[in-house]
Amino acid sequence: MKTLTWIAPALLALTSSLTASLSTAQTAAQNYPQKPIRMIVPFTPGGSTDILARSIGQELSKAWGQSVIIENIAGAGGSIGADKAAKSSADGYTLLMGHIGTLAVNPSLYPKLPYNPVKDFAPVAWVARVPNVLVVNPNVPAKSVQELVALAKSKPGQLSYGSGGNGSAAHLAMEYFKLSTQTFVVHVPYRGGGPVGTALLQAEVDMGMSDMSVFLAHHRAGTMRILAVGSAQRLPYLPDVPTLAEAGITGVETSNWHGLVTAAGVPDAILERLNAAAVASLQDPEVIRTLNEQGIDPVGSGRAELAHLIR
């Protein structure tokens, strides 16, 4: 009886504590956000990851009346910035604009990756798809994929391509292209898609295969030439540019996807508020127009869809 007498108050205290904790969590979720939000972009400014973060961040700020601070933390194929986001407090005030590299490819490339994309992140929303394109600077005489392959074979090791870093999606896409065409082109890694675009403009490298957003405006201005798109079908805003398959490079289909995540352990109520706001931002006609003009296809999905994509 003495044991039972002791257990009853203990259970009551535990129940009260759990109820208070749940009440605090619910209140925090209802009042979220109460301070500025940090959104980490694991690359330098200028690429599609950065463009998406700033577009969505601006809409979140307008919807909630809180600043969304974009922080570019580049390096190691996006792993440095992703790791900082993974190790942030589980309160929903630090977000990561992740993509296919940071959330899916890096675990296969880095044996000592400091984070686990499945265990260390809570998915918020799948935000966009971005097709890759094969592009050359205007000094390269090739006007088609076939001519570029012939040029590369005639000058093994003399041509170069830029990517957003070792292990980046652009790096893997171009290496796959080299394997498929049996060519040898030298890899020059940069710290993001933006610097690759600058390098091509300045003819520091001859070619690249990266996401559309970096090159579309330059292609239209005639300062670069897109020779092929990595998507399965031609793109409506580049109807005259063939797919890699149409250009004779079969089996190579390459595009990027982007997802918004936060640290694992963030309460579901906050995740739902984040998802709803992110999806709403991607349905805004002005945001859609701005992203489409840069070759970015907004998605805006539920949390489960992004979780499945990452796995």
Side-chain angles (χ1 to χ4, degrees), residues 49-240:
T49 311
D50 185 69
I51 292 168
L52 279 162
R54 294 180 190 279
S55 297
I56 294 174
Q58 184 177 31
E59 293 302 309
L60 294 182
S61 181
K62 286 193 296 185
W64 285 336
Q66 291 287 354
S67 299
V68 177
I69 301 166
I70 307 300
E71 186 174 354
N72 296 86
I73 305 176
S79 296
I80 295 176
D83 183 46
K84 285 190 176 296
K87 291 179 171 56
S88 64
S89 298
D91 55 11
Y93 286 94
T94 299
L95 308 176
L96 171 72
M97 183 56 72
H99 84 324
I100 188 173
T102 50
L103 297 177
V105 175
N106 284 358
S108 299
L109 295 179
Y110 297 94
K112 295 183 180 179
L113 194 68
Y115 65 91
N116 183 307
V118 175
K119 296 179 180 179
D120 294 339
F121 289 120
V124 173
W126 177 8
V127 298
R129 304 182 191 88
V130 188
N132 284 332
V133 293
L134 177 63
V135 63
V136 295
N137 76 50
N139 295 335
V140 175
K143 300 296 191 297
S144 67
V145 175
Q146 293 90 341
E147 290 181 7
L148 180 64
V149 172
L151 180 65
K153 286 185 174 180
S154 70
K155 297 182 176 182
Q158 296 181 47
L159 300 180
S160 62
Y161 77 90
S163 83
N166 289 315
S168 65
H171 180 199
L172 297 181
M174 196 66 198
E175 287 301 315
Y176 196 26
F177 175 83
K178 287 165 55 179
L179 285 171
S180 300
T181 58
Q182 297 183 333
T183 53
F184 173 40
V185 183
V186 177
H187 176 220
V188 182
Y190 292 86
R191 290 175 66 85
V196 175
T198 301
L200 277 159
L201 282 173
Q202 297 175 350
E204 292 178 4
V205 292
D206 300 296
M207 67 188 81
M209 191 184 294
S210 189
D211 67 64
M212 174 76 72
S213 62
V214 177
F215 306 122
L216 185 57
H218 297 299
H219 173 78
R220 288 170 172 164
T223 51
M224 295 182 197
R225 287 196 305 279
I226 294 175
L227 301 184
V229 298
S231 51
Q233 291 85 31
R234 292 196 185 200
L235 302 175
Y237 41 85
L238 287 175
D240 298 327

Side-chain angles (χ1 to χ4, degrees), residues 1 34 75 85 90 109 114 123 150 156 180 198 200 223 263 276 283 288 297 309-310:
M1 292 298 294
Q34 293 181 300
L109 295 179
S180 300
T198 301
L200 277 159
T223 51
Q283 294 172 344
I288 293 172
D297 179 22
L309 192 64
I310 294 171

